Amino acid sequence: SLLEKNNRPLSVSELEEAVASGALILDTRIPDEFEKGFIKGSINIGLNGTFAIWAGSIIPIEKQLVLVADPGKEQESITRLARVGFENIKGYLSGGIESWEKSGKAIDKIISINPSELSAGIALGEKVIDVRKSAEAENGMVKDADLLPLSDLKENLSNLDPTQSYLVHCAGGYRSMIACSIMKAQGFKNVKNVLKGFAGIKSDCPEVIGEPVANA
C-alpha cells in the first residue's frame, strides 16, 4: 500500500542522498524540540498544531519529502500528510534526530527569545516580522514590524535583507517557528523566534506595541 511505501526507515546516508536529489526535509517535532537541533535546510511544522493544513499551504504537493519525527510519531506524520494529498514521501530518518547527531553530523539551531527581551533586540536594530494574518494584526502590532503572513512568506523573502537580524513572531509561537525554519533554509542566518507570540508580547513587553496596521 501507499502508506507502507512511504513508511520506510532511512539511514543517515539514505536521507542525505534523497536531499541531494531534491527532497525536502520536513521535521514534525514540536517547535521547542526542533529549535535545539535540526538538519540544515529542514522545514519545521510541528504535529502539535494544524500540521497538515500548513504543510499543504507551504510545500508543493508533488515535492518529495523525507521526514524527521520523534520516534513513534513517524506513522502519524505520514498519515496526516496523506490526508492532504502528500504521496511522494521517501521515508523517515530511522531513530530520529538522535541518529543524525550520533553519526557526527552537524546540526543547525534557532534561538528563541522571551517576549520581555524584544525591546532590547529592537534597540539593537533587529527587525520584527509578524507572520500572523492581516485580520489578526488589526488588534495591534509591534511598532515598525513587517507584516508578512506565513502563507505568503516565501514569496516575499526576496524583499528582505539576508544580512539583517530578524525577530519573528506569530500569535502563540507555532507559526513563527515554521517561518524561522523557512527563512533559515533560504539562507537567512540571523533569525530568532519570539516565544509565546503576540500574546506573550502583549503581556510581557507592552511598550513595543503600536497601533493596528491600517490596510492602505
Side-chain angles (χ1 to χ4, degrees):
S1 79
L2 186 66
L3 193 61
E4 281 162 13
K5 178 173 108 30
N6 291 342
N7 198 2
R8 197 166 86 77
L10 303 171
S11 67
V12 166
S13 58
E14 286 175 316
L15 181 130
E16 288 181 312
E17 280 162 26
V19 172
S21 65
L24 173 74
I25 306 167
L26 175 59
D27 192 318
T28 69
R29 293 174 298 152
I30 65 168
D32 305 9
E33 288 304 315
F34 174 80
E35 68 176 6
K36 291 179 203 159
F38 56 90
I39 304 170
K40 197 174 164 56
S42 302
I43 301 301
N44 174 234
I45 307 178
L47 286 175
N48 60 318
T50 46
F51 168 71
I53 292 169
W54 279 117
S57 65
I58 289 166
I59 303 167
I61 210 88
E62 68 285 349
K63 183 87 181 149
Q64 184 167 68
L65 301 178
V66 285
L67 305 181
V68 174
D70 274 323
K73 294 283 189 183
E74 301 92 352
Q75 192 72 52
E76 183 190 340
S77 305
I78 292 160
T79 306
R80 286 171 69 181
L81 286 167
R83 279 186 205 137
V84 288
F86 285 96
E87 293 178 4
N88 194 4
I89 299 170
K90 180 93 178 160
Y92 58 86
L93 179 60
S94 179
I97 196 72
E98 205 177 301
S99 64
W100 180 264
E101 291 187 67
K102 272 189 188 146
S103 69
K105 299 285 178 187
I107 55 167
D108 205 350
K109 290 184 170 143
I110 285 170
I111 294 166
S112 284
I113 65 163
N114 286 311
S116 55
E117 300 170 79
L118 198 63
S119 44
I122 293 169
L124 288 171
E126 298 182 312
K127 299 259 318 153
V128 178
I129 293 182
D130 182 341
V131 298
R132 295 176 300 161
K133 296 188 175 107
S134 46
E136 294 174 273
E138 283 166 14
N139 301 319
M141 271 183 80
V142 174
K143 288 188 202 82
D144 301 323
D146 282 329
L147 183 65
L148 290 175
L150 178 56
S151 43
D152 316 321
L153 179 69
K154 215 168 165 189
E155 291 77 77
N156 286 304
L157 286 181
S158 54
N159 305 326
L160 300 178
D161 174 5
T163 64
Q164 166 74 38
S165 288
Y166 292 103
L167 303 166
V168 184
H169 79 84
C170 58
Y174 177 75
R175 286 173 286 176
S176 56
M177 190 60 77
I178 302 176
C180 285
S181 69
I182 291 172
M183 290 177 75
K184 287 214 80 165
Q186 297 291 324
F188 287 76
K189 300 236 178 342
N190 305 312
V191 180
K192 289 180 196 153
N193 172 54
V194 184
L195 294 164
K196 302 189 212 138
F198 194 70
I201 296 166
K202 220 154 71 170
S203 63
D204 299 356
C205 200
E207 70 276 12
V208 303
I209 301 212
E211 288 303 301
V213 62
N215 287 330

